[in-house]
Amino acid sequence: MITREIHNDDEPLLKLNSEDEETADIVLGYGHADCKILSAWMMPLEETPLNVLVEIEGMSAYKDRRLNVDLVIILDISGSMSGYKLAKMKLAMQFLLHKLSRYDRLSVVTFNRKANKLCPLRHITENSRKEIANQVNALVAGSITNIESGLKMALNILNDRRVTENRDVAIVLMSNGREDDESRSDHLLVAEVPVYTFGFGSDCEPKVLNAIAKKSKGGIFTAFADEDINLSLIFSRFLAMLLNVSVCAYLTIKHVYIGRYVESMQANTSKHDVPWITK
């Protein structure tokens, strides 16, 4: 009888009042969102419209938050991924690590001839972000490409979770799609999980990666044929879909913190009454 490894080592959920990191909890309409607030010291000294960049990690009506995500990322470290493809894949991982919230959980699976679980489903706190980044940066490419082994382990990690209630799931597969003969990823059942596949390199074989994404629940295949392509733009769009981000067309400013300036509000603008400075 063939048995498989059980992956029920996902981290327990963090409490909502966790102080692992400093973030802002902002009310937007009917829900809340974790936002990053960047302060600029150089502000206009007269009444003026102001362009504001708001980075929203997501919101939902459920329990005042969006559903958090359990995400498994599969990294191809076979010999055909050596060079700039491996470097770009590591860069993409850095981007994703900095965009997930501390209530999301991430597991990383690598594969060449066999699959290896780099880490179980972990909350993305400041500490875990650094630890996972160091693990990914230390990866080297070698051996054959067995996509089936990596995808099978990722599916098992999601299936074996101890905590599953009210959480979204997704799989990200990064590879050049050049599957070896002993790998039969087309036989795996992925219809219940979205699998987003990303093909790296001008030698990428899109047939396999596109087929995996199409068989999954809403997955999409994206190719990176150009080594100079803007990874941030592509993965920002992907995260917008994954994290169900909703951004309103305009913002009504209720509070503006401007240091020692006297503040008054007029519609959607803020008027700064600056005191005279005398010697």
Side-chain angles (χ1 to χ4, degrees):
M1 181 178 178
I2 299 177
T3 60
R4 68 170 179 85
E5 181 183 0
I6 304 299
H7 301 278
N8 58 351
D9 52 356
D10 51 308
E11 287 187 346
L13 300 187
L14 291 176
K15 296 180 180 180
L16 293 183
N17 62 353
S18 170
E19 297 180 354
D20 291 336
E21 298 178 332
E22 182 179 355
T23 64
D25 191 28
I26 297 179
V27 178
L28 294 176
Y30 55 79
H32 287 69
D34 289 332
C35 301
K36 295 179 181 178
I37 301 177
L38 304 179
S39 300
W41 291 107
M42 297 184 65
M43 299 287 289
L45 301 183
E46 59 185 359
E47 183 175 342
T48 180
L50 190 66
N51 293 325
V52 179
L53 175 63
V54 181
E55 181 178 341
I56 306 177
E57 294 186 349
M59 66 185 192
S60 168
Y62 182 81
K63 291 185 177 179
D64 295 330
R65 291 180 175 270
R66 68 168 170 86
L67 287 179
N68 297 301
V69 176
D70 285 341
L71 177 63
V72 182
I73 297 185
I74 311 170
L75 303 179
D76 181 351
I77 57 169
S78 63
S80 60
M81 286 292 291
S82 61
Y84 82 89
K85 286 174 285 187
L86 181 63
K88 285 290 186 181
M89 191 171 65
K90 292 179 179 181
L91 187 61
M93 273 297 306
Q94 298 292 337
F95 181 84
L96 293 175
L97 280 169
H98 281 86
K99 294 301 179 181
L100 295 174
S101 105
R102 67 187 184 279
Y103 301 119
D104 299 313
R105 297 189 300 179
L106 174 70
S107 175
V108 180
V109 171
T110 63
F111 72 89
N112 40 35
R113 181 181 293 276
K114 294 182 179 180
N116 175 57
K117 183 171 62 177
L118 207 63
C119 68
L121 284 167
R122 301 187 64 186
H123 287 282
I124 303 305
T125 63
E126 183 177 353
N127 289 335
S128 66
R129 183 179 290 116
K130 292 178 181 178
E131 291 171 5
I132 295 173
N134 289 336
Q135 288 178 298
V136 170
N137 287 333
L139 294 174
V140 295
S143 191
I144 67 173
T145 308
N146 187 349
I147 296 177
E148 178 185 5
S149 66
L151 189 54
K152 184 182 294 184
M153 179 173 285
L155 291 168
N156 289 339
I157 288 173
L158 292 179
N159 287 333
D160 294 344
R161 291 173 299 156
R162 293 174 296 175
V163 181
T164 61
E165 185 178 1
N166 302 316
R167 300 189 68 81
D168 282 336
V169 296
I171 292 174
V172 170
L173 169 60
M174 301 188 199
S175 173
N176 65 354
R178 303 185 68 84
E179 190 170 35
D180 287 283
D181 292 339
E182 66 181 63
S183 176
R184 297 297 303 273
S185 60
D186 57 326
H187 287 183
L188 294 178
L189 300 177
V190 295
E192 297 303 315
V193 180
V195 183
Y196 300 89
T197 58
F198 296 90
F200 287 76
S202 58
D203 63 342
C204 174
E205 174 50 64
K207 183 178 179 180
V208 172
L209 297 178
N210 193 36
I212 293 172
K214 281 188 173 181
K215 285 174 58 179
S216 73
K217 185 179 180 180
I220 297 174
F221 165 63
T222 304
F224 296 115
D226 185 352
E227 62 181 281
D228 295 324
I229 197 166
N230 189 332
L231 291 176
S232 298
L233 178 61
I234 299 298
F235 278 95
S236 291
R237 292 172 179 171
F238 156 67
L239 286 172
M241 293 186 297
L242 177 65
L243 303 179
N244 300 315
V245 174
S246 176
V247 179
C248 56
Y250 62 90
L251 299 175
T252 300
I253 301 175
K254 293 184 177 180
H255 300 286
V256 180
Y257 299 99
I258 53 174
R260 59 191 181 89
Y261 296 147
V262 179
E263 174 192 353
S264 63
M265 300 300 302
Q266 296 181 2
N268 289 345
T269 63
S270 178
K271 182 178 181 181
H272 309 300
D273 298 320
V274 184
W276 290 103
I277 301 176
T278 58
K279 292 184 179 178

